[in-house]
Amino acid sequence: MTTIPFTGDWIVRAPRGPFAAVQGGADDSLAVTLPHDALRDTERSPDAVAKGGAAYFPAGAFSQVKTFEVPAEWSGRIVRLEIQGAFRHAMVYLNDEFVGNRADGFARFFVELTPFLRFGETNTLRIETRAGQDSRWYAGAGLHRPVLLHVDEPTHIEPDGVRVTTIRIEDDQAVLEVATTIVNRGLTRSARVLATELAGPDGSVVEGERTPVTVAPGGSALIRQRLYVPDAALWSVDSPALYSARTSLEVDDRPADEAAVVHTVHGIRTVTVDPRKGLRINGEPVLLRGACVHSDNGPLGAASIARAEERRIQLLKDAGFNAIRAAHNPASPAMLDACDRIGMLVMDEAFDMWGRGKTDHDYSLDFAQWWRADLESMVAKDMNHPSVIMYSIGNEIVEVGTPHGAIQARELAEHVRALDPTRLVTNGVNATLAVLDDLDGIMASDQGLNELMGEAGANMMSLIGSSDAVTTRTEESSAALDVLGLNYADGRYASDAERFPHRVIVGSETFPTQIGDLWPLVEANPNVIGDFTWTGWDYLGEVGIGATSYAEDPEANGALEREFPYLTAWCGDFDITGWRRPVSYYREIVFGLRSEPAIAVLRPEHHGQTITMQSPWAWSDSVDSWTWPGFEGAPVTVEVAADADEVALLLDGVEVARGPVGGRRPKLAEFETVYRPGTLEAVAFRSGAEVGRTALVSATGPTRLVATADRTTLRADDTDLAFIAIELRDAAGVLVTGADREVSVSVAGEGRLAGFGTGTPKTTERFDATTRTTFDGRALAIVRPSGPGAITVTVSGAGLDDVVVDLEAAAR
């Protein structure tokens, strides 16, 4: 199999009909490199039909066009296109002939090009996509994941045709099975030798097998080879050891052309689960410290560029997460590659709806026709990724509380198990949605539930989820699963252990504000294997669900979804640029991974104002900063997260407050004090003994620009990026917050500015602009190589000295 990256030299334009050549009109073509989000640079508007759900971006339809030369020697070969993601309703044309389509915008699929190619000539590939009112959040548009070209001899290994499985792990060896599917598209019988070599984590060959195989014309063969790996290095979160299988077809003992070799990554590990011992990886117990993540990459829009996915996974792991949930669509191959290398467990999710829709033009219109193929696509993509331990067949599916929904749940679960019996199957059940059609009746018939709701409205979803009606209506669909995912229904954790002693639960979606209460429940209940917060990383769309609304804000509408120009949900542990927010440090303390306390200060401009909306997805309106110019002498509220029972607050060494930990939230202390520049220090005590301290220092003196690249040497290809943190800092390196200003970026040489943004949840500034206003002292520029050579990035701001960052893009 020869695989050719097909990501360069694309043109994106508005769709054109068959008579475009005679209609004339302006040329709106844009040259791009894939992956690319065609919707990101369109004009946002308060009148956008999808409103804040899609971040006020408009609906769009796009043509992605590429011309390419097809060598004459390809005649007689099999040529296929691999499209890893095209949002949405992709229609594929080659030389104006229809060759294939796919409804789902996240499904990886293949299209046969062979019958439509013009050998020895220039060919034109066109992929039409459209998006609008088909998602509850921002999903972008176009070819947001890579496209590859596969060119094969008539006898070849099928795409996704090599599957490596761990059969068992013994004290001195691991037994693997390599199952390879070979196809003969020729007219005569084909005799080959299937050669497989297995290389260990250090690159040295540790095992191998050679098997003769004969394939009839027009037929296929499945060859199973057993490999016995001595003293195997096991894959785990803490030690993500990876093996690589090199598989090839040989003829007459001639080594295969390297271009036709298939390389398959494998991690040797076992996954088991039960209600008494929980989740175990390689026999070791693991609690999932999980983050739900959407597919967009912030300033890059929906484009899934490999380095962006890798950076995101590494930052999440550094913050204490060991698992992600791909919400609510299958993760990109690039993200799974990163999870394999870094050591991050994955719950990969197939659907956000089945037959009952949530938006006007969503996947429910396509579900009946496509669900089997889309599950097959997800499993084929994930099969060789050790990071993937669980498949989710849905998120908050409305039907799961009905008999038909139970039938559908079992069909989906069994289809997945038939495709891959080695992994767990789950479903993210929102119990409130499951009984939404009878909610009034449930409330009327359950007086005790009514009373509880009146006393604890913030726990409404958990209380409803614990009701007898939910228990009865979701019992059958839940029984089809290996692990029941519960969204906002933690009230079932302990009670289900008694009512359903064989049931295993995961908190598949939970409120970030409640992790201090939820994590002890996970630790206390063996039947609960983890928690996935909504969300680990902020995202575009569902705007403002985590924002704080004040009565004094004339634009506040009091609704959960905020008004234009809100852009992001503002509910992530990280903002869209990858900057950790205060809730992230609180979570790390709750997980038991951080001993030092963490300080955050509520924005002083809102001190004393009336909060009219702060949903359970909203952390406090706070910043980890003690630099607030213009508020000297003003009252401020300080929050300190600590694994302690008491905290003392010191300003320049003088105690200004002291109080207990665990009032409004577990492991959190709150203080009222007055802002004065200096050093604010929090000292944590347990039983009178100091257990940790941390400090925030005020910025002083002139402000300067600082620009720091995550790496200065890049790969000169479409997979790499440089992330340049642009910050306002004082001479001592302290971040200057509360004095934001415009900064500009220019890129010269073999690179271009791929995205420029900040973490602000509310803005009219664009990601394709070269000038942005910093937010809390920061901005992020993303540079993409355009070829091998030097790249010079210049950052400037009015009244500040320019900063130059030198990068080098090197050919592989």
Side-chain angles (χ1 to χ4, degrees):
M1 178 189 296
T2 300
T3 303
I4 303 170
F6 224 49
T7 52
D9 302 319
W10 285 81
I11 297 295
V12 176
R13 66 191 186 202
R16 302 178 182 186
F19 304 111
V22 298
Q23 290 173 342
D27 185 359
D28 59 355
S29 298
L30 175 69
V32 302
T33 298
L34 305 183
H36 173 259
D37 178 3
L39 194 62
R40 187 201 67 169
D41 299 335
T42 57
E43 196 68 34
R44 297 171 63 225
S45 165
D47 300 322
V49 176
K51 296 296 182 183
Y56 298 101
F57 280 87
F62 303 93
S63 288
Q64 286 85 186
V65 181
K66 179 180 174 66
T67 58
F68 62 105
E69 301 299 320
V70 176
E73 56 266 28
W74 283 10
S75 180
R77 298 185 186 180
I78 313 303
V79 183
R80 277 168 287 204
L81 197 67
E82 176 187 344
I83 301 172
Q84 294 189 354
F87 200 89
R88 189 173 174 269
H89 280 289
M91 303 286 286
V92 185
Y93 300 87
L94 180 62
N95 300 320
D96 286 329
E97 299 282 357
F98 173 74
V99 298
N101 68 311
R102 195 67 168 229
D104 186 23
F106 295 90
R108 173 172 163 267
F109 66 103
F110 294 84
V111 176
E112 175 90 29
L113 301 184
T114 312
F116 308 95
L117 289 170
R118 297 170 181 169
F119 298 99
E121 299 181 30
T122 300
N123 287 245
T124 300
L125 177 68
R126 186 175 85 254
I127 303 176
E128 306 280 358
T129 56
R130 59 207 52 81
Q133 291 183 277
D134 46 20
S135 174
R136 295 185 296 118
W137 55 90
Y138 178 84
L143 302 178
H144 59 102
R145 292 179 179 175
V147 173
L148 305 172
L149 196 68
H150 297 269
V151 182
D152 297 308
E153 298 293 340
T155 300
H156 60 273
I157 298 171
E158 274 286 89
D160 295 328
V162 179
R163 294 189 171 190
V164 186
T165 306
T166 298
I167 301 300
R168 64 181 182 271
I169 299 174
E170 301 171 352
D171 290 341
D172 59 347
Q173 69 173 359
V175 181
L176 309 185
E177 180 183 84
V178 182
T180 304
T181 300
I182 300 171
V183 173
N184 179 6
R185 296 274 293 270
L187 300 177
T188 60
R189 184 180 61 198
S190 179
R192 299 286 189 271
V193 172
L194 178 67
T196 298
E197 289 184 344
L198 187 72
D202 64 356
S204 61
V205 176
V206 296
E207 246 288 51
E209 177 71 292
R210 293 169 56 83
T211 306
V213 55
T214 302
V215 188
S220 64
L222 177 62
I223 295 88
R224 300 182 188 273
Q225 298 172 312
R226 286 290 175 100
L227 302 181
Y228 301 86
V229 183
D231 301 318
L234 304 187
W235 187 97
S236 68
V237 169
D238 296 327
S239 180
L242 292 174
Y243 288 76
S244 178
R246 181 185 186 276
T247 308
S248 61
L249 289 176
E250 298 179 358
V251 183
D252 299 330
D253 293 328
R254 296 194 307 271
D257 184 346
E258 187 61 32
V261 173
V262 177
H263 294 272
T264 307
V265 169
H266 181 67
I268 300 174
R269 57 107 179 97
T270 60
V271 179
T272 61
V273 69
D274 69 57
R276 297 178 182 86
K277 297 181 179 180
L279 174 70
R280 287 177 290 172
I281 308 292
N282 304 322
E284 298 295 324
V286 174
L287 289 178
L288 299 175
R289 304 188 300 270
C292 297
V293 293
H294 264 314
S295 62
D296 75 77
N297 272 304
L300 295 170
S304 175
I305 300 173
R307 172 56 189 157
E309 306 285 40
E310 179 183 59
R311 173 179 179 263
R312 178 156 50 154
I313 295 303
Q314 186 64 65
L315 290 173
L316 286 166
K317 186 172 184 180
D318 291 345
F321 292 107
N322 66 2
I324 64 165
R325 173 188 176 214
H328 301 294
N329 302 102
S332 69
M335 175 169 277
L336 297 184
D337 287 342
C339 291
D340 291 344
R341 292 191 303 268
I342 293 169
M344 181 71 78
L345 302 172
V346 178
M347 177 197 297
D348 208 4
E349 193 155 270
F351 310 118
D352 186 45
M353 68 288 296
W354 296 346
R356 293 178 63 175
K358 297 177 180 178
T359 55
D360 289 350
H361 305 295
D362 64 24
Y363 182 79
S364 64
L365 303 175
D366 308 300
F367 176 78
Q369 177 183 354
W370 284 102
W371 70 262
R372 289 176 179 82
D374 288 341
L375 284 179
E376 291 160 11
S377 169
M378 181 177 73
V379 171
K381 169 180 65 70
D382 293 3
M383 187 71 185
N384 291 310
H385 289 283
S387 56
V388 179
I389 63 168
M390 215 179 315
Y391 297 120
S392 171
I393 57 175
N395 167 67
E396 300 187 342
I397 302 300
V398 181
E399 300 99 300
V400 296
T402 69
H404 170 74
I407 294 170
Q408 187 70 72
R410 187 170 288 110
E411 276 195 273
L412 269 69
E414 291 307 321
H415 191 55
V416 169
R417 292 186 181 108
L419 296 166
D420 181 2
T422 70
R423 288 178 170 87
L424 307 169
V425 178
T426 187
N427 190 12
V429 175
N430 184 313
T432 303
L433 285 182
V435 297
L436 194 61
D437 56 355
D438 194 28
L439 193 56
D440 289 342
I442 293 169
M443 298 296 293
S445 64
D446 194 332
Q447 184 58 37
L449 180 61
N450 265 306
E451 292 172 0
L452 285 171
M453 292 276 287
E455 295 172 4
N459 295 317
M460 178 188 70
M461 295 174 77
S462 183
L463 292 169
I464 294 172
S466 300
S467 68
D468 290 339
V470 167
T471 300
T472 301
R473 289 186 53 171
T474 62
E475 182 176 3
E476 185 179 358
S477 63
S478 299
L481 309 170
D482 301 309
V483 178
L484 171 60
L486 290 178
N487 290 12
Y488 313 109
D490 48 278
R492 303 197 69 94
Y493 290 1
S495 60
D496 273 18
E498 298 180 6
R499 287 180 289 190
F500 304 101
H502 297 141
R503 177 177 287 180
V504 179
I505 291 171
V506 64
S508 45
E509 189 168 317
T510 63
F511 293 121
T513 50
Q514 295 183 356
I515 188 61
D517 296 307
L518 295 174
W519 193 246
L521 290 178
V522 173
E523 293 179 309
N525 291 279
N527 60 317
V528 182
I529 63 173
D531 177 278
F532 286 82
T533 188
W534 191 266
T535 58
W537 198 280
D538 199 17
Y539 59 97
L540 307 178
E542 290 189 317
V543 297
I545 67 169
T548 301
S549 181
Y550 299 95
E552 291 77 3
D553 181 358
E555 296 181 353
N557 58 15
L560 180 61
E561 181 182 288
R562 298 300 302 274
E563 65 285 345
F564 180 85
Y566 264 86
L567 174 69
T568 74
W570 197 233
C571 62
D573 278 30
F574 286 78
D575 70 22
I576 60 170
T577 70
W579 184 256
R580 289 181 72 175
R581 299 177 62 207
V583 62
S584 174
Y585 298 102
Y586 174 79
R587 186 183 312 280
E588 192 177 12
I589 289 169
V590 169
F591 283 156
L593 302 175
R594 177 187 173 99
S595 58
E596 298 85 3
I599 307 172
V601 180
L602 271 63
R603 297 181 188 274
E605 63 265 33
H606 297 301
H607 190 274
Q609 294 184 1
T610 302
I611 294 176
T612 57
M613 171 61 74
Q614 195 170 56
S615 78
W617 291 282
W619 193 249
S620 61
D621 191 10
S622 58
V623 185
D624 51 350
S625 172
W626 193 241
T627 300
W628 301 102
F631 289 94
E632 292 78 4
V636 292
T637 303
V638 177
E639 297 178 336
V640 180
D643 185 10
D645 51 40
E646 187 181 39
V647 168
L649 203 61
L650 285 64
L651 183 56
D652 292 334
V654 177
E655 185 172 309
V656 294
R658 180 183 288 259
V661 176
R664 184 166 56 92
R665 291 193 177 108
K667 300 187 185 299
L668 191 70
E670 298 173 287
F671 304 98
E672 292 295 321
T673 188
V674 173
Y675 173 66
R676 296 196 310 273
T679 299
L680 183 70
E681 192 170 19
V683 184
F685 298 91
R686 188 182 304 117
S687 302
E690 181 180 328
V691 292
R693 65 172 61 206
T694 193
L696 296 176
V697 179
S698 302
T700 58
T703 297
R704 61 191 179 97
L705 265 180
V706 175
T708 308
D710 62 337
R711 292 168 308 127
T712 56
T713 301
L714 312 176
R715 298 182 303 275
D717 61 30
D718 51 58
T719 68
D720 212 355
L721 299 163
F723 289 83
I724 300 174
I726 299 168
E727 298 169 323
L728 307 175
R729 293 190 177 270
D730 70 3
V734 178
L735 187 67
V736 180
T737 55
D740 289 308
R741 64 184 73 191
E742 285 189 346
V743 293
S744 298
V745 173
S746 63
V747 180
E750 298 300 326
R752 63 176 183 83
L753 187 62
F756 190 19
T758 71
T760 181
K762 180 181 180 181
T763 182
T764 57
E765 295 180 322
R766 297 165 57 100
F767 293 128
D768 60 345
T770 57
T771 298
R772 291 292 302 244
T773 304
T774 59
F775 176 69
D776 290 336
R778 300 185 70 256
L780 181 74
I782 307 173
V783 175
R784 193 174 192 182
S786 53
I791 305 170
T792 302
V793 182
T794 303
V795 183
S796 58
L800 303 173
D801 291 339
D802 290 357
V803 181
V804 176
V805 178
D806 292 318
L807 308 173
E808 183 70 26
R812 290 191 180 211

